[in-house]
Amino acid sequence: MGKIKKKYERGAATTYITRNSAIKKLQLTLADFRRLCILKGVYPQEPRHKKKVGRGSTAPKTYYHVKDIQFLLHEPLIAKFRELKHFNRRLKKAIQKRNINAATRIRSNKPKYTLDRIVKERYPSFTDAVRDLDDALTLCFTFANFPATKRTQVEMVHECRRLTVEFQQYVMASRSLRKVFYSIKGVYYQADISGETVTWIVPHKFGHEHPTDVDYKIMSTFIQFYTTMLKFINFKLFTSINLHYPPKLAVKLDEDGDEVTATREEKLEKLEALTHTLLSAGGDVVEEEAEPDRFEDGDNPDQVDQARVQLQELRDLTSLFASCKFFLSREVPRESFTFIIRAFGGQVSWDETVCGGATYQETDEGITHQIVDRPKLTSQHFNRSYVQPQWVLDSVNARRRLPVKDYVVGAALPPHLSPFVEEEEGEYVPPEKLKLLKRLQQEEEEVAAGDESDEAIEDEEDDDGGDDVEQSEDESEEDTENVVAAPATKRKRKLDKEPAVANKKAKHEVVTEGKREEVDVKKQLSRQQAEEQRLAELMIPKKHRRLYHKIQHKKKKISQEAEKLKEKREAIDKANRVQKKKQKHKPGVTA
């Protein structure tokens, strides 16, 4: 007879462990256990069968993997937490006895620990750390905007501020920013960092109070780990583009050629202003972006063409504001717009009485755009454009500079559409976005037509010169023929006239040089991809025909939802028009 198998001694019941059991096994307090799990990246798990894990009980409990708790058993941080607990007990006892010398001595010997080893352990490669950069940036930017209070320490706020400014300096120097969106929560940014897409949120700067339902001890533990991780990442990013770390500003010389000395506070102020260039580690070396090579046998020509189109679009985007010089008014959010404009190659400044770090004044003749967020202006310069702040954001998301006529001061702005929403084929697209896409397409066609007309004019000029020479030669030949050929009779004159006309027609039939047909590679590739996808759906095997029907059913549902949303939008627009008409005809109300 075999061994009797007892219940709850294998399977899911032995895979998970409750939080109370884990705390008893590690001999830690709840606060230290939470801190240890945050630093080591151990999080609660949700079992599939709670009744089996709970040994027949379905009471709500927090479970962890047994392997994770065994992984924490021999962690050196546990000993440091116990030393800190002993330190707090001794310091409290010395303060209660009013022994100042003992309290001072105990404070000077406070145990410390570093998290460098844990960062390397959790992120073996640099790519892994960049992939987990979203939450770190969002939390660090949030704490950087907090005021220094008892809940948020001064050192923590200053450290977050320093690291976030360094990261912004890298994004501006490498031109890595791709998308921007202003919302109620804050400003959404998306950048391409070492081939990985990183998205983070920066809260708006305004006076606020700390929320009472947030545990700042837990948040400070996350900040402790994220700041350590961000130091490693900033160092790697700066050295990858040949910049000093910590960042140094480019040296300025006075009239005598000597270096301009500045205090530490002035350097920090200029660094946080985001308007000054950084000093390179090995000289000002600018590396050109290499185009992808094209091989006849090795690479796919469609992929090479697509890579070239993407590379050209990226170059146009990174140099979007390269020829622009901006001036920010007092009411415009200074830091966010400076970061956006500088990340796309533009120059920016403001009134020096607003904040330090201004590089030029409002009277500068080279300013091309002045960003104003006021309904009216008292004075204007005729050699610059006055636009509202949304023009910068919409131009970045449209990947080209939009016409300024829709964003002049006091004008009703178009809706600020999110660049993170990408509609698939058949989905509902807002009419404002359709209008924008149509305008951009018309601009592309106008630019293409202008280029073709310029080439045609050049070709016509070349052809006209050649025709004049040919006509002069033809006229001279005809004159000699008329002099030589003297017909005797009418019939002979008539017979001689027919071949002369034929020769004249033949001489005027000039073969012109053919023109190369201009092909839009981007449209051609998009059409080709759509055709390949359609053919792939049609070529689904018969045994997998159910998959084809599911794809078609999904497309049908998407089109139905799009039609419903379209009808709903039309009803809303119609109701708004009716309401405006009623308000217009209401007595005592002027249009």
Side-chain angles (χ1 to χ4, degrees):
M1 184 176 176
K3 188 177 180 180
I4 299 174
K5 297 178 182 179
K6 295 183 180 180
K7 202 173 185 181
Y8 305 124
E9 287 191 357
R10 65 174 187 166
T14 58
T15 305
Y16 297 93
I17 185 174
T18 61
R19 186 177 65 182
N20 291 334
S21 301
I23 290 173
K24 290 179 182 178
K25 193 170 187 177
L26 295 173
Q27 297 180 2
L28 292 173
T29 61
L30 179 59
D32 289 341
F33 176 74
R34 283 175 175 170
R35 190 193 310 175
L36 181 64
C37 289
I38 290 171
L39 296 177
K40 294 290 290 183
V42 175
Y43 299 102
Q45 304 294 331
E46 186 69 22
R48 183 175 295 179
H49 305 287
K50 280 191 175 182
K51 194 170 183 179
K52 292 181 180 180
V53 175
R55 299 175 182 272
S57 174
T58 57
K61 293 181 181 180
T62 304
Y63 292 99
Y64 291 84
H65 275 299
V66 173
K67 290 184 178 180
D68 292 339
I69 303 304
Q70 290 177 350
F71 174 67
L72 298 176
L73 277 173
H74 305 287
E75 176 59 40
L77 280 178
I78 296 176
K80 287 292 182 181
F81 290 164
R82 289 169 182 161
E83 290 179 10
L84 283 171
K85 187 177 180 181
H86 181 58
F87 162 79
N88 292 329
R89 192 184 302 119
R90 290 176 61 203
L91 181 62
K92 185 177 179 181
K93 188 176 180 180
I95 292 173
Q96 287 176 350
K97 288 185 176 181
R98 297 182 181 180
N99 192 345
I100 300 175
N101 295 330
T104 306
R105 186 182 69 254
I106 292 170
R107 282 197 184 96
S108 61
N109 295 324
K110 182 179 180 179
K112 299 179 181 180
Y113 60 89
T114 59
L115 303 177
D116 300 348
R117 175 184 56 81
I118 295 179
V119 172
K120 295 178 182 178
E121 180 184 295
R122 288 183 60 177
Y123 304 110
S125 65
F126 178 69
T127 306
D128 297 333
V130 174
R131 286 174 185 166
D132 202 17
L133 193 57
D134 300 352
D135 296 336
L137 287 175
T138 301
L139 196 59
C140 287
F141 272 102
T142 302
F143 269 75
N145 292 330
F146 277 169
T149 59
K150 291 182 180 179
R151 296 180 178 178
T152 54
Q153 301 176 2
V154 180
E155 296 81 4
M156 186 188 303
V157 174
H158 288 177
E159 187 74 5
C160 291
R161 176 65 179 167
R162 180 180 68 84
L163 293 173
T164 52
V165 168
E166 290 174 358
F167 182 78
Q168 286 179 315
Q169 291 283 0
Y170 165 78
V171 173
M172 292 188 303
S174 61
R175 307 261 182 108
S176 303
L177 194 61
R178 296 293 177 263
K179 295 179 181 179
V180 186
F181 179 64
Y182 260 68
S183 72
I184 299 175
K185 291 183 180 179
V187 188
Y188 286 80
Y189 296 103
Q190 188 177 92
D192 186 8
I193 308 297
S194 299
E196 297 291 335
T197 302
V198 180
T199 308
W200 71 97
I201 310 173
V202 180
H204 298 294
K205 288 193 174 183
F206 52 85
H208 63 279
E209 295 181 358
H210 285 292
T212 57
D213 56 345
V214 177
D215 193 346
Y216 285 92
K217 290 183 180 179
I218 294 179
M219 304 299 287
S220 62
T221 306
F222 277 104
I223 283 293
Q224 188 180 5
F225 176 77
Y226 285 151
T227 50
T228 307
M229 182 182 74
L230 202 54
K231 289 176 186 176
F232 280 98
I233 293 176
N234 284 349
F235 173 77
K236 179 68 175 178
L237 293 176
F238 271 74
T239 54
S240 65
I241 58 174
N242 198 25
L243 290 176
H244 278 287
Y245 188 81
K248 296 181 181 179
L249 297 175
V251 180
K252 288 188 176 182
L253 304 177
D254 55 8
E255 296 178 356
D256 299 332
D258 299 329
E259 181 180 347
V260 178
T261 58
T263 61
R264 183 174 179 273
E265 289 75 12
E266 291 177 351
K267 291 180 180 179
L268 289 176
E269 187 179 23
K270 290 181 179 180
L271 190 66
E272 293 180 357
L274 306 177
T275 54
H276 295 76
T277 56
L278 300 179
L279 185 63
S280 176
D284 296 330
V285 180
V286 179
E287 296 183 359
E288 296 182 357
E289 296 181 2
E291 291 189 4
D293 296 330
R294 183 166 185 172
F295 302 98
E296 295 181 358
D297 299 329
D299 291 347
N300 187 358
D302 294 337
Q303 294 179 356
V304 175
D305 292 339
Q306 188 174 4
R308 286 179 175 171
V309 170
Q310 292 176 355
L311 182 61
Q312 185 61 38
E313 289 179 353
L314 183 60
R315 285 176 176 173
D316 296 340
L317 178 62
T318 53
S319 60
L320 184 64
F321 299 133
S323 60
C324 300
K325 200 171 184 179
F326 291 85
F327 187 85
L328 305 180
S329 298
R330 294 175 177 269
E331 66 279 359
V332 178
R334 180 184 53 82
E335 184 174 344
S336 62
F337 276 88
T338 303
F339 172 60
I340 295 168
I341 293 170
R342 286 288 314 282
F344 292 98
Q347 302 179 41
V348 62
S349 183
W350 51 83
D351 193 352
E352 60 182 1
T353 58
V354 176
C355 183
T359 53
Y360 49 85
Q361 296 299 321
E362 187 177 1
T363 57
D364 193 343
E365 296 295 332
I367 297 175
T368 58
H369 298 81
Q370 184 165 345
I371 303 177
V372 182
D373 199 9
R374 301 177 186 175
K376 294 182 180 179
L377 288 175
T378 56
S379 61
Q380 295 185 14
H381 296 266
F382 295 101
N383 58 346
R384 68 185 66 169
S385 301
Y386 290 84
V387 294
Q388 299 188 47
Q390 188 178 329
W391 178 80
V392 177
L393 309 176
D394 290 349
S395 297
V396 170
N397 297 332
R399 293 176 173 258
R400 67 187 65 194
R401 282 183 287 181
L402 299 175
V404 298
K405 61 181 181 180
D406 297 333
Y407 300 88
V408 295
V409 179
L413 293 173
H416 181 48
L417 301 173
S418 173
F420 299 99
V421 179
E422 296 180 358
E423 295 84 1
E424 297 180 359
E425 184 181 358
E427 291 185 352
Y428 172 74
V429 183
E432 293 84 5
K433 191 168 186 178
L434 289 174
K435 185 178 179 181
L436 177 62
L437 294 175
K438 186 177 181 181
R439 180 193 296 174
L440 296 178
Q441 187 177 3
Q442 288 178 355
E443 290 179 0
E444 290 179 356
E445 292 176 355
E446 289 176 0
V447 171
D451 296 339
E452 291 179 0
S453 62
D454 294 339
E455 293 178 359
I457 290 171
E458 293 178 359
D459 295 338
E460 286 178 1
E461 290 177 355
D462 298 336
D463 295 340
D464 292 341
D467 292 341
D468 294 339
V469 175
E470 291 175 358
Q471 287 178 4
S472 62
E473 292 177 356
D474 295 340
E475 290 175 358
S476 61
E477 291 177 0
E478 289 177 2
D479 293 338
T480 54
E481 288 178 359
N482 292 331
V483 171
V484 174
T489 61
K490 292 182 178 180
R491 186 175 181 182
K492 189 176 181 181
R493 191 181 299 122
K494 186 176 180 181
L495 293 173
D496 293 341
K497 188 177 180 181
E498 291 178 356
V501 173
N503 291 334
K504 187 176 181 181
K505 290 181 179 179
K507 289 178 182 178
H508 281 286
E509 289 179 357
V510 181
V511 178
T512 59
E513 184 179 359
K515 297 180 182 178
R516 187 178 65 180
E517 184 181 358
E518 296 293 336
V519 180
D520 193 345
V521 182
K522 187 177 178 180
K523 291 183 179 179
Q524 185 179 3
L525 290 172
S526 62
R527 287 197 299 267
Q528 185 174 350
Q529 289 177 357
E531 185 68 19
E532 289 176 356
Q533 184 178 0
R534 190 180 68 84
L535 291 175
E537 292 176 358
L538 293 175
M539 294 296 292
I540 293 176
K542 191 175 182 180
K543 60 181 180 180
H544 298 150
R545 202 64 178 175
R546 187 163 173 254
L547 176 61
Y548 174 78
H549 292 305
K550 289 177 71 175
I551 293 172
Q552 298 301 321
H553 180 71
K554 183 181 177 182
K555 289 183 178 180
K556 187 177 180 181
K557 285 290 183 183
I558 290 173
S559 61
Q560 289 176 356
E561 291 176 0
E563 289 295 330
K564 289 180 181 178
L565 291 173
K566 190 176 180 181
E567 293 175 359
K568 189 176 180 180
R569 178 60 186 269
E570 289 177 355
I572 292 172
D573 293 341
K574 185 177 180 181
N576 291 334
R577 288 194 297 268
V578 171
Q579 188 176 2
K580 287 181 180 179
K581 287 182 179 179
K582 288 182 179 179
Q583 291 179 355
K584 185 177 181 181
H585 296 293
K586 190 178 292 184
V589 179
T590 57

